[in-house]
Amino acid sequence: MADTNAVPVSTAEDESNSVFSHEDGGSSGEDTTQTGPAASGKKRKREKYQKTSCELCKARKVKCDRAEPACSWCARHNRTCVYLERQKPGSRIGFTLELETKVNRVDALLQTLWRRVEDHIANDHGAQSQTLSPAVSNHASVQLDGFGQEAVGTRPPGVSRGTPIQQPRAPAFSSPSWQGGDGSEGLQQSAPSVTSAPGQSLLSGGAESFTPPSRLNNVRSGSTSLSGGTDLPPQDMIYTLVDLYFKHCNTWCPILDRKTTFGIFFGSTSLNEVDRILLHAIVATTLRFLKDTRLSPEMRSHYHAVSKHKVMIYAMEHVSIEAQRALVILALDELGTSNGPRGWNLLSILVQNVRQLDLCEENKMYLSADASETPSTGSIRRVVVPRPDSWIEDEGRRRLCWMVYLLDRYATIATTTFDFMLEDSKMKRVLPCSYDLFSRNVPVETGSLNTNTDQQGWTGYTVDKPENLGSFSYHCEVLGILSKVHDFLKRPVDVTSSAEMTTWRNTYRSLDSALDSWLQSLPSEYSRISALCHSDPASRVANWFMLHSAYVTAVVRLHSSAAYPTVRSHIFVPSHYAMQRCLSAVQSLRDITQDVFEANGLDLVGPPFAFSLWIAARLLIVHAAMVGCPVDPKINFFIDILGYVGQYWEVANNYARILARIVQRERQGEASFGAMRKSAHELVNLTSATRQRGLDETASHSVSLHDLDSIDVFDFFNYPKIPNMPSTSQNGQTGIYHLQGLVNMGSDQSRDGAAPDPESDWLGY
């Protein structure tokens, strides 16, 4: 790669994202020994086509006119036109990996078929095994021809010549991650079902079809087939599900190494119990992306329920690294369905296991004991985790701890009033390295732990080797800043005190500066995340967009407190600077989301991205309530995108429905945004009142769905908290009284004067 100023292409940290573009023009391997007109013609042809197409046209697979300084398409769409030097011909590493994966898959299939045949012979002894052999032979012949061509004479009995037969296909490691954006690129990998009679097929295709339906639950207990019994889908479907997990989830939850995981699941060795539990977690989480016509809604629900139950039971009975890893993957499924009590309970188990397994510290010494002498008392926690047997295992534990940290941050910030379950002061871990170094098992350093703690009790870390960091590392960093923002906004503040407001402003500025410094620390073009989609298409990777959404969440969480306060005084008034920071962050998220949508990549982002969209949409409503203007039309875009993401993560659907109801109420004139915000503020304060004595009366206040929607939308922006707010109880009803003149919910009567004055910004920017 010759040009040092070119936009950097993503490395192996972002899996399956290599782009192989085929240029038009002559082959570089032409014979150069010819003379005469033919040779001169070829020389002119090479000179004519010496210049390559621009990167955008190569990614779009269209002809480029190679104009300077920008081709016509890039100039017309105002995109950065980048020409890279033509690469020398050589071996296609991606193609080699793809062939290797196909060979491994065929080997795994043969192992499964052989074990099935052995089981069948051992159980049935005779005639039935002879009946089975032709089916095995036919099926194996079809499966082994993995290059898209059906072997002659191998069509299963009962299937007509005109019936299309889908062939298995290993995942294309060399294909860009955005290819097949509908999430169905691996969905045509299913093996044909072997029918015992015309119009009648067995329940499960692939290798499972060789077990008669009456014996599905009568498999020998020693069998190690992936799809033994009905607790897991067929083997070929399992392969697709694991592949989909690494495409849709592991990019932004990078706790597994792809090569190692595929070797465990589809290698020649047998699966043990912990491997099957991890597989169950992947199945439960990734079924949402599988679009296989053989899988009915009932069977999909069955597999999901069975896999989830097995993981939960195993995790409750075993405290181990393997169980923790499976539980983290299952937490993605739960938190992607609903940010409610079930997800919080699962997180509490994860956090407690992190403490129990001592994962939040960089341990140097491990105790080992004979299994027969393992104690059953409290000292067992000191020997339950063995010393890591490799660097990749050590780094895997580090990533596991940081992933629990991230999940805890997103779930807690969504509730606004909860405290973090995994405190920052407990996180005595250095940052994880980039994914390519992790997957290559290359021992590297990213930094060191600080010996001194800050005023918030956080040990923290120092980044000594930024070149070893990746998107996951930066994600952990920005959520560390977001944690400080959350703790800062939880503390009550007296908005009438000049001294308190001065302290508040200094802390606010330091957190704002920390976010700016983090943004500047990103490598090269990634520091301008909002321009990422407009530069190099090979860098369109889901985890970097997840990273940008985390940054938007942090910016809005911090600056909305100063831009849209629910109460104010002569000192604490809405800040024009803070308001512009919020609106700019929302606009940048909107622009990137538009490009991700056009590239069919919304199925690659996870629930944290949906949470950022939810925050951005609510910010537009709060802005309309404060300024007293109609809501920005961008709200419709965010609602539509949330609905699209909701195809895969149900929590996004919940967000979209709440926003749609709130916007519809305002547009139909039922209530203004300002009135909704005031109602939500009063209801939240009402429920925060506490009794002073045990015999004080309690009361109940009925609320409607509209009231709950208002709380969901506006409570995130309910700031500042007033200390020692007076309360009283009259006739069984608890009332909250605000200091006179401090309530500031926005005014529908002052549409022109509600916006803050940029010339008199009290923050001093």
Side-chain angles (χ1 to χ4, degrees):
M1 292 268 177
D3 192 358
T4 59
N5 296 322
V7 178
V9 178
S10 59
T11 63
E13 170 173 352
D14 310 304
E15 305 159 285
S16 307
N17 295 308
S18 302
V19 178
F20 291 90
S21 302
H22 299 280
E23 301 288 343
D24 49 359
S27 170
S28 59
E30 293 175 344
D31 186 5
T32 58
T33 60
Q34 296 182 8
T35 59
S40 61
K42 291 185 177 181
K43 181 177 181 181
R44 286 195 300 271
K45 183 177 182 181
R46 286 197 299 271
E47 292 176 351
K48 178 179 179 181
Y49 293 103
Q50 186 66 31
K51 183 178 179 182
T52 65
S53 301
C54 76
E55 295 303 297
L56 281 174
C57 290
K58 283 196 292 185
R60 296 169 51 247
K61 292 181 172 49
V62 297
K63 185 175 180 61
C64 179
D65 58 9
R66 302 183 176 92
E68 291 284 354
C71 69
S72 59
W73 189 91
C74 292
R76 186 167 60 255
H77 292 83
N78 195 24
R79 300 293 180 95
T80 302
C81 191
V82 179
Y83 293 98
L84 297 181
E85 183 177 333
R86 183 188 297 274
Q87 299 298 304
K88 295 181 180 180
S91 62
R92 290 181 56 185
I93 299 177
F95 182 70
T96 304
L97 291 175
E98 184 175 350
L99 289 180
E100 181 183 353
T101 304
K102 288 182 178 180
V103 171
N104 290 338
R105 186 182 181 192
V106 169
D107 179 69
L109 177 63
L110 290 177
Q111 293 284 347
T112 302
L113 294 178
W114 182 249
R115 285 192 293 264
R116 285 297 184 193
V117 172
E118 286 183 332
D119 293 344
H120 195 82
I121 293 175
N123 290 333
D124 297 321
H125 303 287
Q128 287 188 353
S129 63
Q130 297 176 3
T131 306
L132 179 65
S133 299
V136 175
S137 175
N138 288 340
H139 182 75
S141 301
V142 175
Q143 286 280 71
L144 290 177
D145 191 350
F147 294 93
Q149 299 295 328
E150 179 187 354
V152 178
T154 60
R155 187 170 295 272
V159 180
S160 64
R161 172 63 59 180
T163 304
I165 298 296
Q166 298 175 340
Q167 298 293 338
R169 177 173 59 86
F173 286 81
S174 59
S175 63
S177 65
W178 299 94
Q179 195 172 7
D182 60 353
S184 59
E185 85 300 337
L187 307 180
Q188 302 301 324
Q189 302 179 14
S190 56
S193 299
V194 180
T195 55
S196 56
Q200 180 182 0
S201 62
L202 300 181
L203 176 63
S204 54
E208 266 305 285
S209 299
F210 309 128
T211 302
S214 61
R215 299 184 180 271
L216 281 176
N217 295 317
N218 193 28
V219 182
R220 192 175 57 185
S221 59
S223 174
T224 56
S225 171
L226 287 179
S227 51
T230 59
D231 60 339
L232 283 171
Q235 193 269 351
D236 64 302
M237 199 178 292
I238 290 176
Y239 188 95
T240 302
L241 286 169
V242 177
D243 182 45
L244 289 174
Y245 169 78
F246 279 94
K247 175 181 178 180
H248 294 275
C249 300
N250 203 68
T251 49
W252 47 269
C253 177
I255 62 175
L256 297 181
D257 172 52
R258 180 184 182 107
K259 183 178 180 180
T260 303
T261 305
F262 271 82
I264 292 174
F265 290 157
F266 308 107
S268 57
T269 59
S270 302
L271 289 182
N272 55 31
E273 185 181 14
V274 295
D275 296 333
R276 291 182 67 86
I277 291 301
L278 178 62
L279 185 60
H280 276 294
I282 292 176
V283 168
T285 302
T286 322
L287 273 172
R288 66 188 76 238
F289 301 108
L290 183 64
K291 300 177 182 177
D292 195 308
T293 56
R294 294 176 299 163
L295 200 62
S296 65
E298 294 77 14
M299 289 305 300
R300 185 185 299 268
S301 299
H302 166 76
Y303 287 134
H304 179 272
V306 169
S307 293
K308 178 180 177 180
H309 178 74
K310 286 183 176 293
V311 175
M312 290 297 298
I313 293 299
Y314 186 87
M316 292 298 294
E317 297 179 351
H318 300 80
V319 180
S320 63
I321 300 294
E322 294 78 9
Q324 181 81 345
R325 196 171 284 124
L327 207 57
V328 165
I329 296 175
L330 186 65
L332 304 182
D333 172 70
E334 192 61 58
L335 295 175
T337 302
S338 174
N339 185 22
R342 290 189 303 182
W344 305 336
N345 292 340
L346 194 55
L347 269 176
S348 64
I349 298 175
L350 286 171
V351 172
Q352 184 59 37
N353 286 349
V354 166
R355 297 194 186 103
Q356 191 79 9
L357 298 171
D358 220 11
L359 289 178
C360 52
E361 293 188 359
E362 297 286 346
N363 294 321
K364 186 176 182 179
M365 183 64 64
Y366 294 84
L367 299 180
S368 60
D370 192 330
S372 61
E373 300 177 357
T374 300
S376 58
T377 56
S379 59
I380 190 175
R381 65 176 294 271
R382 300 189 179 275
V383 296
V384 69
V385 178
R387 174 175 173 264
D389 55 5
S390 64
W391 183 86
I392 195 173
E393 170 64 22
D394 190 24
E395 174 69 10
R397 296 180 184 183
R398 186 176 295 114
R399 288 171 170 267
L400 191 60
C401 178
W402 278 112
M403 195 62 215
V404 175
Y405 177 87
L406 264 62
L407 293 177
D408 179 35
R409 265 53 196 164
Y410 279 114
T412 303
I413 291 170
T415 62
T416 69
T417 57
F418 287 2
D419 294 322
F420 296 122
M421 288 183 279
L422 185 57
E423 303 93 336
D424 282 302
S425 60
K426 303 294 184 183
M427 281 297 296
K428 300 176 182 178
R429 279 284 194 180
V430 296
L431 290 174
C433 66
S434 62
Y435 190 86
D436 60 330
L437 297 175
F438 167 60
S439 60
R440 281 159 34 199
N441 198 12
V442 178
V444 295
E445 291 183 353
T446 58
S448 58
L449 293 176
N450 297 334
T451 56
N452 299 323
T453 58
D454 61 12
Q455 60 182 356
Q456 295 182 344
W458 189 33
T459 301
Y461 46 79
T462 300
V463 177
D464 301 324
K465 303 288 185 179
E467 64 273 13
N468 294 331
L469 300 182
S471 62
F472 188 50
S473 318
Y474 293 110
H475 203 156
C476 298
E477 277 194 316
V478 74
L479 287 191
I481 302 174
L482 182 56
S483 299
K484 295 183 178 181
V485 172
H486 181 75
D487 291 336
F488 166 62
L489 298 182
K490 279 177 60 63
R491 295 194 294 268
V493 58
D494 185 359
V495 296
T496 62
S497 171
S498 298
E500 284 200 32
M501 291 312 302
T502 299
T503 303
W504 188 94
R505 180 172 58 182
N506 292 337
T507 307
Y508 173 91
R509 287 177 173 176
S510 67
L511 292 172
D512 184 23
S513 176
L515 284 173
D516 289 340
S517 299
W518 174 86
L519 188 63
Q520 296 302 320
S521 70
L522 293 180
S524 187
E525 293 297 321
Y526 293 120
S527 60
R528 296 189 296 273
I529 305 179
S530 60
L532 185 60
C533 283
H534 302 285
S535 56
D536 185 6
S539 297
R540 291 184 173 182
V541 185
N543 52 345
W544 286 101
F545 297 119
M546 297 281 286
L547 180 65
H548 175 65
S549 70
Y551 173 72
V552 169
T553 299
V555 169
V556 173
R557 183 69 180 130
L558 173 63
H559 293 292
S560 62
S561 62
Y564 311 102
T566 53
V567 296
R568 67 159 122 178
S569 66
H570 64 285
I571 303 175
F572 195 2
V573 295
S575 167
H576 178 268
Y577 166 79
M579 188 175 293
Q580 293 306 310
R581 286 295 303 269
C582 289
L583 295 177
S584 297
V586 170
Q587 181 62 44
S588 69
L589 183 62
R590 192 262 179 221
D591 293 341
I592 283 187
T593 305
Q594 177 68 44
D595 285 333
V596 176
F597 172 74
E598 291 176 354
N600 295 322
L602 285 176
D603 58 329
L604 303 179
V605 296
F609 192 89
F611 179 64
S612 296
L613 296 175
W614 165 240
I615 289 179
R618 288 185 293 172
L619 189 280
L620 296 179
I621 296 177
V622 172
H623 179 80
M626 172 67 75
V627 180
C629 64
V631 66
D632 193 303
K634 285 195 291 287
I635 190 73
N636 298 323
F637 171 82
F638 286 118
I639 294 175
D640 292 341
I641 293 296
L642 283 169
Y644 188 94
V645 177
Q647 298 178 70
Y648 311 100
W649 305 101
E650 179 60 26
V651 68
N653 264 339
N654 298 337
Y655 295 152
R657 284 191 288 264
I658 294 172
L659 291 170
R661 289 196 296 262
I662 286 286
V663 173
Q664 184 180 22
R665 284 192 68 201
E666 195 275 339
R667 289 175 177 173
Q668 292 179 349
E670 296 181 19
S672 65
F673 290 135
M676 294 184 213
R677 191 183 188 196
K678 184 175 182 180
S679 173
H681 184 263
E682 292 175 347
L683 287 173
V684 170
N685 287 336
L686 189 66
T687 56
S688 64
T690 58
R691 293 182 289 171
Q692 302 300 318
R693 297 177 178 84
L695 295 180
D696 288 349
E697 294 184 4
T698 59
S700 178
H701 183 85
S702 61
V703 293
S704 64
L705 178 61
H706 295 321
D707 294 328
L708 297 177
D709 286 345
S710 298
I711 293 176
D712 285 333
V713 169
F714 294 106
D715 185 44
F716 187 82
F717 305 92
N718 184 9
Y719 189 83
K721 310 294 183 183
I722 305 299
N724 300 323
M725 183 170 291
S727 63
T728 186
S729 178
Q730 298 176 352
N731 299 326
Q733 297 292 327
T734 301
I736 301 299
Y737 298 96
H738 302 286
L739 299 178
Q740 292 295 326
L742 296 187
V743 181
N744 178 50
M745 295 298 156
S747 173
D748 295 327
Q749 301 174 354
S750 177
R751 292 179 176 267
D752 299 325
D757 182 10
E759 300 297 329
S760 58
D761 198 314
W762 68 282
L763 290 177
Y765 286 95

